[in-house]
Amino acid sequence: MPISATPMNFAFAGPGPARSNGRSVAVIGAGPSGLAAAGFLACLGYQVDVYDKLPKPGGLMVFGIPAERIPAARIEDSVTTLEGRYGVRFHPGTKICDRRQAEDTGDELSTRCMDLDELVRGHDAVMLCTGSWKPRKLNVPGEELKGVYSGLAFLFPIRAAQYRKSALGDIDVTGKNVVVIGAGFSAIDVAHGALGQGAARVSLVYRRTRREAPCGSHEIEQFEAAGGQWLELVTPLRIVEGEGEARGQVAGIECIQCHLGEPDEDGRRRAVPDSCAKVVLPADVVVAAIGETAAPPFAERLGLDSVRKNEIHWLQMTRMDGVFVAGDALSGPSKIGKAVYSGLRAAQSLSRWLTLKSMSRELEYRDDAPISKEDLR
């Protein structure tokens, strides 16, 4: 079977299905950390219910990353295995709501809202594994103008068009000048998407050089070969507003040229603006593909800041007994592998806590240890 067609195995840490242990766990979020936690716990005999606001499990792997990078069929097959072989129950279109929480991308596809307390009452434990759905801001004047979008706002409707299309915003770039800010895979995906939808010109703007670009120079070369324009060592200063009837809409983007300075904490050379070198790029559409942040529900109530600082007694358990946290909700945006490992650690910790709690020994905290087959026996 070709690698691209091989199903993902979110129960890889266990030997296979287990006899029921009579306990149930609710997992909030069906992204990589949530699916990994569900698979791990199912191998221990838990009844696992996975709740997600989107109409299909997979999170950003399905609704944010183009299919040519992660074929949707691989994720769908893995979910089918979790359902059929391990008894995991999925509840799509269900958002676990915090009334004070602002709406994020994807919320428009939810058809049901549940409160955290309802899950806590109905399960022995709960795990919060929500992803990064809140776009990062450029923090420049004009960001609120019509025609300015985040990378996820541009990509999400493309991946979610088959579900309630009327609820999704339609971004028309046909015959328009599109400027994409960023140099990660999301930025490249947006740029290729705009070219494919008939944009007259697509420019990719980055504050460093292609050598430092997170997507790699090969992706940039492919973008240029497809007809795109790569502009490096420039960073946006403001979004230019149109005049007359075009007031309130994007007309261009003013950028300032940069040079590379000393390395930052990640080892990449810093982009230092040159105060006198400015340029205005014409633009009908500006897409800030600079990433997203996590905005997990109930963050204050659960004391997630304390969890991140390791000030909670039990590994990855929140201020609320029996409610654990993993993935982006805990550590912010990360790669799929890191999210999976975070979900496994939290699932392991959750199971240990429930086992000791059943013996009234939950204060006997065991320090974190690598996940092994012995934890599944």
Side-chain angles (χ1 to χ4, degrees):
M1 180 182 293
I3 293 176
S4 61
T6 304
M8 291 183 173
N9 178 15
F10 286 103
F12 69 92
R19 181 180 301 174
S20 172
N21 63 17
R23 298 172 184 160
S24 67
V25 175
V27 176
I28 305 171
S33 62
L35 292 176
F40 185 94
L41 291 168
C43 286
L44 293 173
Y46 289 91
Q47 174 59 62
V48 183
D49 288 272
V50 181
Y51 299 83
D52 195 273
K53 67 182 182 179
L54 298 174
K56 193 174 185 179
L60 287 170
M61 292 188 296
V62 171
F63 290 92
I65 300 175
E68 56 266 26
R69 298 197 187 280
I70 302 182
R74 294 184 63 194
I75 303 166
E76 186 172 351
D77 289 345
S78 71
V79 169
T80 299
T81 300
L82 288 178
E83 286 180 311
R85 191 173 182 212
Y86 295 90
V88 176
R89 296 185 298 214
F90 289 89
H91 306 270
T94 304
K95 183 174 175 63
I96 310 305
C97 300
D98 181 350
R99 293 179 181 177
R100 295 174 297 176
Q101 185 183 16
E103 288 194 1
D104 293 328
T105 305
D107 288 359
E108 60 269 42
L109 296 184
S110 298
T111 57
R112 180 188 180 200
C113 184
M114 292 180 66
D115 185 75
L116 177 63
D117 291 329
E118 187 177 349
L119 292 187
V120 171
R121 288 192 299 267
H123 299 273
D124 294 287
V126 174
M127 189 180 301
L128 180 66
C129 298
T130 53
S132 297
W133 292 90
K134 184 177 181 179
R136 294 184 186 277
K137 294 289 187 180
L138 279 172
N139 293 320
V140 299
E143 192 170 15
E144 75 290 344
L145 292 174
K146 184 177 180 180
V148 180
Y149 305 94
S150 69
L152 187 56
F154 186 92
L155 292 171
F156 181 78
I158 298 174
R159 299 303 307 275
Q162 58 186 306
Y163 308 100
R164 295 182 63 201
K165 186 174 177 63
S166 60
L168 302 170
D170 187 16
I171 303 175
D172 182 14
V173 298
T174 305
K176 296 180 180 180
N177 289 331
V178 179
V179 175
V180 183
I181 302 166
F185 285 106
S186 290
I188 282 288
D189 293 338
V190 168
H192 278 294
L195 286 172
Q197 293 178 42
R201 180 172 63 184
V202 180
S203 303
L204 199 55
V205 171
Y206 184 49
R207 59 182 175 171
R208 295 185 175 97
T209 71
R210 69 179 65 204
R211 182 178 299 177
E212 289 82 24
C215 67
S217 59
H218 177 66
E219 292 282 352
I220 296 168
E221 290 168 3
Q222 287 188 315
F223 165 67
E224 290 177 315
Q229 179 184 26
W230 167 259
L231 299 173
E232 62 183 37
L233 291 174
V234 288
T235 191
L237 284 179
R238 68 184 180 96
I239 310 297
V240 179
E241 183 179 6
E243 299 179 350
E245 295 181 357
R247 287 187 63 84
Q249 300 180 17
V250 171
I253 178 169
E254 182 180 6
C255 299
I256 188 168
Q257 294 184 345
C258 305
H259 67 271
L260 295 181
E262 295 299 316
D264 59 16
E265 59 274 8
D266 296 323
R268 294 188 300 171
R269 295 176 67 187
R270 299 178 186 274
V272 182
D274 296 322
S275 59
C276 297
K278 298 179 182 179
V279 60
V280 176
L281 305 174
D284 304 301
V285 174
V286 173
V287 183
I290 55 175
E292 289 72 40
T293 60
F298 318 102
E300 292 183 11
R301 180 181 175 189
L302 297 177
L304 295 189
D305 281 342
S306 296
V307 184
R308 296 181 185 112
K309 297 174 184 176
N310 294 319
E311 295 174 352
I312 298 296
H313 177 66
W314 200 275
L315 177 69
Q316 289 182 230
M317 186 164 78
T318 68
R319 185 183 294 158
M320 195 171 180
D321 275 2
V323 178
F324 291 74
V325 61
D328 291 5
L330 174 64
S331 56
S334 64
K335 294 184 178 179
I336 292 174
K338 184 177 179 180
V340 165
Y341 185 66
S342 179
L344 293 176
R345 291 180 70 210
Q348 180 187 55
S349 181
L350 180 155
S351 183
R352 289 174 175 172
W353 180 79
L354 281 177
T355 299
L356 289 175
K357 182 185 177 185
S358 68
M359 299 181 285
S360 299
R361 293 168 50 195
E362 62 264 38
L363 294 181
E364 298 180 22
Y365 171 71
R366 280 168 48 187
D367 199 5
D368 183 29
I371 296 168
S372 68
K373 299 287 186 181
E374 297 302 318
D375 291 302
L376 299 164
R377 295 175 181 159

